[in-house]
Amino acid sequence: MRLTMRLAERSYDIIIKKGSLHHVGQLVNLNRKVLIVTDRGVPAQYVHTFAQQCHAPFVQVVEQGEHSKSVSVWQTLLETMMKLGFGRGDAVAAVGGGMVGDLAGFAAASYMRGIDFINIPTTTLAQIDSSIGGKTAVNLGKTKNIVGAFWQPRLVLIDPETLDTLSPRLYAAGLAEALKAGLLADSELVRIFEEEDCKEYIEQIIYRSLIVKKNIVERDERETGDRAALNLGHTLGHGIESATSLQEEGHLYHGECVALGMIPMLETAELREQVKAICRRLGLPLEVQYDRQLALEAMRHDKKAQSGMIRIVKVPKAGQFRLDKVPFEQVEAVLLGKAEEIPAPKKEKAE
Ligand SMILES: NC(=O)c1ccc[n+]([C@@H]2O[C@H](COP(=O)([O-])OP(=O)(O)OC[C@H]3O[C@@H](n4cnc5c(N)ncnc54)[C@H](O)[C@@H]3O)[C@@H](O)[C@H]2O)c1
Ligand SMILES: [Zn+2]
């Protein structure tokens, strides 16, 4: 399957095909220097398969984990390229999850004011979500993604076979972003999650999720309007993520937090039950212990909270969304377990 992203500055292809990692050279020019960025947790066989196809590959393996998405590691990548004499026509490639993709993408965006970036995502989250949209970044101290750039890749190559080595929990966490895409704009995708074997349907799931993201991103490349819809589940989810990241035990993955954050944004009890059943089926946790006050604090600091109101994304029915601005207390009530959902604003109800 192939998807072409048509953007004002330049277009690029996203290839989704089992086994495609063996044929990257047929899709993009590898007859040049390529800095391959990966982390220690990514099975080396993937890097090896790709590197063999490059004329002059240089592999840079960073430590696994979010802390490698830092200014100092980014600087190391730039220094490596400088030492190796990388020029305008050379390229950076990412082989790994969203962490490696963001880091390598930002190195490509900034070296000599931007060189080619080839993205080979190997986690469900990266294949479904982070590899498209053109956002690249590193963290500064504890602040996530604060240093970065919009930089579109030359090619995104998605080989679902690379997911075979992922832990079942990480695999499921990434699927939460696909469930999000279905809830926003593709009810057939929600049906697949409900009735089909996800592993068997993985190419379809990735393709359909990317179409949803593509349609939204192409309309709104720099996040001024509709792109905010992709934040479904993320407002509450980020609060939960901050609170659980401080606990010694019970740390949750991003996708798991998003799934938890999505449920109160569904406007009917029936849809909430349907989505909870899907989460159980996927192995996404629904009962989680965390400090709710801490989660609230994190959300208050979130850029989405302004003057007592907060922007959220609601789903009236599977495949449809609406952007709302609601009083912060309504989100607080849901988080504290005093309410199951956030009520629709009055004017929408009258329609
Ligand atoms: N740019 C965007 O639009 C965007 C969107 C969402 C998330 N992100 C970013 O993505 C990052 C999270 O991505 P992630 O969930 O992929 O995490 P990750 O990149 O940290 O990968 C998770 C773990 O999986 C391992 N791994 C990767 N591929 C594997 C494979 N095929 N088999 C076995 N293990 C493998 C890695 O070594 C790592 O330990 C965060 O930094 C987040 O900010 C970016
Ligand atoms: Zn997300």
Side-chain angles (χ1 to χ4, degrees):
M1 284 182 246
R2 177 191 295 258
L3 257 171
T4 303
M5 296 291 290
R6 290 182 211 289
L7 299 167
E9 290 142 52
R10 65 181 199 188
S11 300
Y12 64 93
D13 283 340
I14 302 170
I15 305 295
I16 308 156
K17 195 168 190 287
K18 287 187 179 162
S20 55
L21 183 63
H22 295 269
H23 311 289
V24 192
Q26 293 168 13
L27 299 159
V28 69
N29 173 18
L30 299 179
N31 208 4
R32 48 179 160 172
K33 288 181 190 146
V34 181
L35 182 75
I36 305 171
V37 184
T38 188
D39 72 46
R40 274 187 212 295
V42 179
Q45 75 216 55
Y46 305 142
V47 174
H48 185 68
T49 302
F50 173 60
Q52 274 183 328
Q53 301 166 55
C54 300
H55 170 70
F58 299 95
V59 179
Q60 183 109 27
V61 186
V62 306
E63 293 299 324
Q64 67 193 91
E66 189 64 23
H67 60 275
S68 281
K69 224 176 95 174
S70 67
V71 170
S72 63
V73 176
W74 165 68
Q75 183 175 343
T76 309
L77 300 183
L78 300 181
E79 284 165 355
T80 303
M81 286 193 273
M82 210 165 68
K83 262 188 237 144
L84 293 168
F86 269 57
R88 272 255 158 77
D90 295 321
V92 179
V95 179
M99 185 282 281
V100 161
D102 280 7
L103 169 71
F106 185 49
S110 49
Y111 187 72
M112 296 184 88
R113 300 195 186 86
I115 64 171
D116 278 0
F117 175 46
I118 300 163
N119 199 357
I120 306 181
T122 63
T123 62
T124 40
L125 182 106
Q127 296 193 350
I128 283 163
D129 187 30
S130 68
S131 59
I132 88 162
K135 286 186 180 178
T136 73
V138 294
N139 309 325
L140 189 58
K142 286 196 175 122
T143 312
K144 278 201 67 169
N145 303 326
I146 193 82
V147 182
F150 281 94
W151 189 244
Q152 304 299 340
R154 195 44 79 194
L155 170 77
V156 179
L157 183 116
I158 297 175
D159 183 347
E161 276 178 3
T162 60
L163 301 176
D164 292 348
T165 46
L166 217 54
S167 73
R169 200 179 143 202
L170 208 51
Y171 190 99
L175 290 182
E177 299 279 1
L179 179 56
K180 176 194 81 177
L183 288 167
L184 286 175
D186 184 356
S187 56
E188 168 62 12
L189 185 50
V190 177
R191 187 204 65 79
I192 291 175
F193 276 120
E194 216 170 4
E195 296 173 11
E196 309 293 351
D197 177 341
C198 289
K199 287 231 157 121
E200 219 173 274
Y201 273 71
I202 192 67
E203 274 177 305
Q204 275 272 344
I205 291 173
I206 295 167
Y207 182 74
R208 299 191 84 103
S209 315
L210 292 181
I211 293 265
V212 170
K213 188 164 179 186
K214 169 182 147 81
N215 288 341
I216 293 175
V217 169
E218 280 182 344
R219 276 205 301 266
D220 187 11
E221 198 183 339
R222 288 189 191 249
E223 198 157 321
T224 44
D226 262 9
R227 189 162 173 162
L230 298 169
N231 287 330
L232 171 63
H234 284 64
T235 306
L236 268 175
H238 281 152
I240 300 170
E241 205 170 354
S242 306
T244 53
S245 70
L246 299 173
Q247 322 183 135
E248 280 206 356
E249 277 174 35
H251 167 81
L252 293 184
Y253 288 129
H254 174 75
E256 295 174 332
C257 298
V258 170
L260 286 168
M262 241 164 11
I263 292 164
M265 305 299 150
L266 311 172
E267 282 188 341
T268 65
E270 193 189 347
L271 185 57
R272 287 196 293 277
E273 285 317 309
Q274 189 187 358
V275 171
K276 279 187 200 167
I278 292 174
C279 289
R280 280 185 212 104
R281 203 170 175 237
L282 294 178
L284 291 166
L286 290 172
E287 309 293 332
V288 176
Q289 301 298 323
Y290 59 92
D291 184 333
R292 304 207 169 220
Q293 289 301 337
L294 263 181
L296 275 177
E297 261 332 288
M299 281 170 55
R300 264 196 208 100
H301 284 113
D302 201 308
K303 60 179 187 282
K304 291 171 212 90
Q306 298 156 344
S307 61
M309 302 289 279
I310 191 161
R311 283 191 170 283
I312 53 166
V313 189
K314 300 287 297 290
V315 175
K317 95 185 237 219
Q320 288 178 12
F321 67 85
R322 193 183 63 238
L323 304 175
D324 277 353
K325 217 171 180 184
V326 303
F328 191 76
E329 294 78 59
Q330 292 186 357
V331 180
E332 186 172 305
V334 162
L335 196 69
L336 297 177
K338 292 179 187 158
E340 270 201 42
E341 62 169 324
I342 294 166
K346 285 201 177 69
K347 60 177 182 343
E348 253 90 7
K349 265 191 175 164
E351 275 172 8

